[in-house]
Amino acid sequence: MTNAVDVTGLVKAFGDVRAVNGIDLEVRQGEIFGVLGPNGAGKTTTLRMLATLLPIDEGEARIFGVDVRREPHRVRQILGVTGQYASVDENLTAAENLRLFARLQGISRRQARTIAMELLDQFGLADAADRLVSKFSGGMRRRLDLAASMITRPPLIFLDEPTTGLDPRTRGQMWDTIRSLVVQGSTILLTTQYLDEADQLADRIAVIDHGRKVAEGTPEELKAQVGSSTLQVTLAHSDDRDLAMAVVRGVLAGEPTLSPESGRIAVPMTTADDAADVLIALRKAGVGIQAVNVDRPTLDEVFLAITGHGAEERADTAAGTGWPGGTNGDNGTNDTSGVLEVAR
Amino acid sequence: MSTLALPPTIGQAGAGPATIDPAEVVARTSSRPSPSQAVAQTFSMAWRATKMMRRNPEQFFDVTIQPLLFTAMFAYVFGGAISGSVSDYLPLMIPGILAQTALITSMATGVQLRDDMEKGVFDRFKALPISRLAPLAGPMMADLIRYGVAATLTLASGIAMGYRPGGGVLGVLGGWLLTIVSGWSLAWVFTWIGTLARSAQAVQGMSMLIMFPLTFLSNAFVPAESLPGWLEAFVKVNPVSHVVTACRDLINDGAVTAQVGWALVGCVALVVIFAPLAVRSYARKM
């Protein structure tokens, strides 16, 4: 079976900066493939090149076997693209937007009306059908944007950071919607800065950094490199640390680390349930505990584990990705600062 | 299967088969949009533009207030000096204002399109399998309404001030149509600039540089013979002068002169040169 996406040696340079520096990707039919990386890593640029929105500098890209460089018009008929900045018309109502995009793709006036209503219904926007998009919330815009990509039921859908800037509840709804698309037989290529999003949705993940692919695998394979979460135990008496380390080693396979303050032990865990085992064992051994918390591994910890360096922001290339407004500094940075914080 | 009877790239949310067959979708794709598809897509884009006009009536300020203001201002300020009286000046000036209006309005077309292209929705237009001509030609088609409004108001305010066109209804209609056609043709120049410039403000700036010499170094407001020789030479080759003279011939004399022919040839030339340039530059920028 042809791959949905076949990319070899993709390159895009903005001046001296190689935003995408030789990326290979292989997305199989019917899977959700996640491209994970910090801001400015080259995710959006990659997606835009594959979506015929940016010229490809070097490399080969095929969508269901169709050459992106040679036959952009054909590729556009296979793809649905949902950008990082909702690409819907603010001056039109939700229904008008969908009707316009349907009409542009050769669908009859009557059928365009039917499709618009069905999609609005399916994406929970039926009540807002005749409202101007400029009055929409961020989550509603994203959903409308996604609905617009579904008009022709394309076999491949690109989602560029589909939940950046959404609140947790809306984000959960978006995840459900994305999963339902795969059930219909679509293949999905999505980019994200959130490890948990890639974890929740993707069958396979490619980790991108500085325009290069630094790792690839299933979420389990990636997380295995850092553990699924970390248990932080602050000891009541720092004298107990050798005893505590020995106890933890006895319970879990992962090697605990002593943090600089010496009173704190970080324990990598494969499941959060391990925390209970560790705490019970510590109580039995008579080790006093001052504080306990469980942290999910951040993207940065994955990065640290894979590349040996943190996932620092690179505002210089983020501005060069070519999205409208990309130069305004409104690149979702404020939403992600928490995620990209340097590991404790 | 019912889906086979439908044109290519059609989708049916909910109505089609439950799952998507990529191989079938790929087999149905075409390598480029057909001319009839391009026309239909242009109409859809024009529909969008008229919706936007209806929701942002301030887009009509330049085509409503400006013609009224310019007609009154120029007539009362220059009328006495140039032609001895306002009423004698009107037959000379109204066609000039018409040409100026067409130029200003076509400039606004370019600026607005550039402004529109900054919006996220243009990303979707670019990603859709549509003709690269449609996003440019659609708004320009809708702008025919603006040229119509501007030309009508200019003529109406002239008539209100005592202008009695000698060309009769047909002559006036001819001048009105010529104004719209020249405005629309000129808009391709500004649209092309729009696809090259970095921002709407840049388009505005560049367009001003083009517009001012073209309108004022023409016979729009003064007889060319009154100018120094070197300037008269430029004024005579300025395409705006041809449009103005053609409008005068039509509106004042009801005569379809060679000037009308030259003006139309000029319009065709503008479209033939600048429309492909604009589309190519837009498609390249992707």
Side-chain angles (χ1 to χ4, degrees), chain B residues 15 21 47 49 56 76 85 89 114-115 123 146 160 187 194 200 223 236 261:
Chain B
D21 178 7
W47 173 83
N56 304 299
Y76 291 114
S85 76
Y89 185 44
R114 185 68 189 84
D115 194 38
D123 254 349
R146 286 156 43 85
K236 286 209 165 131

Side-chain angles (χ1 to χ4, degrees), chain A residues 48 52-53 64 73-74 76-77 81 87 89 91 96 101 104-105 115 118 145 149 152-153 184 186 323-324, chain B residues 9 11-13 17 19-20 22 29-31 48 51 55 118 120 123-124 126-130 132 286:
Chain A
R48 285 180 67 84
T52 75
L53 292 171
F64 287 106
H73 189 69
R74 230 181 255 283
R76 291 180 191 126
Q77 291 165 75
V81 186
S87 37
D89 199 329
N91 300 296
E96 284 168 354
F101 298 136
L104 282 172
Q105 294 178 84
I115 290 177
E118 277 174 4
D145 205 6
S149 305
T152 54
R153 295 174 27 107
Q184 293 181 26
S186 295
W323 283 110
Chain B
T9 77
Q12 321 82 38
T19 52
I20 298 159
T29 58
S30 59
S31 62
R48 166 180 181 266
K51 282 274 174 194
R55 282 179 192 140
E118 308 259 321
D123 254 349
R124 184 170 294 284
K126 287 172 205 162
L128 284 179
I130 59 173
R132 306 288 103 174
M286 292 207 296

Side-chain angles (χ1 to χ4, degrees), chain A residues 131-142:
Chain A
R131 231 186 293 161
L132 281 183
V133 174
S134 52
K135 307 265 191 309
F136 271 30
S137 70
M140 287 165 79
R141 263 173 227 226
R142 293 292 179 101

Side-chain angles (χ1 to χ4, degrees), chain A residues 290-310:
Chain A
Q290 196 184 55
V292 170
N293 66 13
V294 176
D295 292 328
R296 295 182 50 74
T298 60
L299 173 57
D300 204 75
E301 280 162 336
V302 175
F303 260 80
L304 210 56
I306 293 169
T307 64
H309 70 84

Side-chain angles (χ1 to χ4, degrees), chain A residues 44-54 321-324, chain B residues 123 286:
Chain A
T44 298
T45 309
T46 303
L47 221 59
R48 285 180 67 84
M49 279 193 277
L50 297 182
T52 75
L53 292 171
L54 266 183
T321 51
W323 283 110
Chain B
D123 254 349
M286 292 207 296

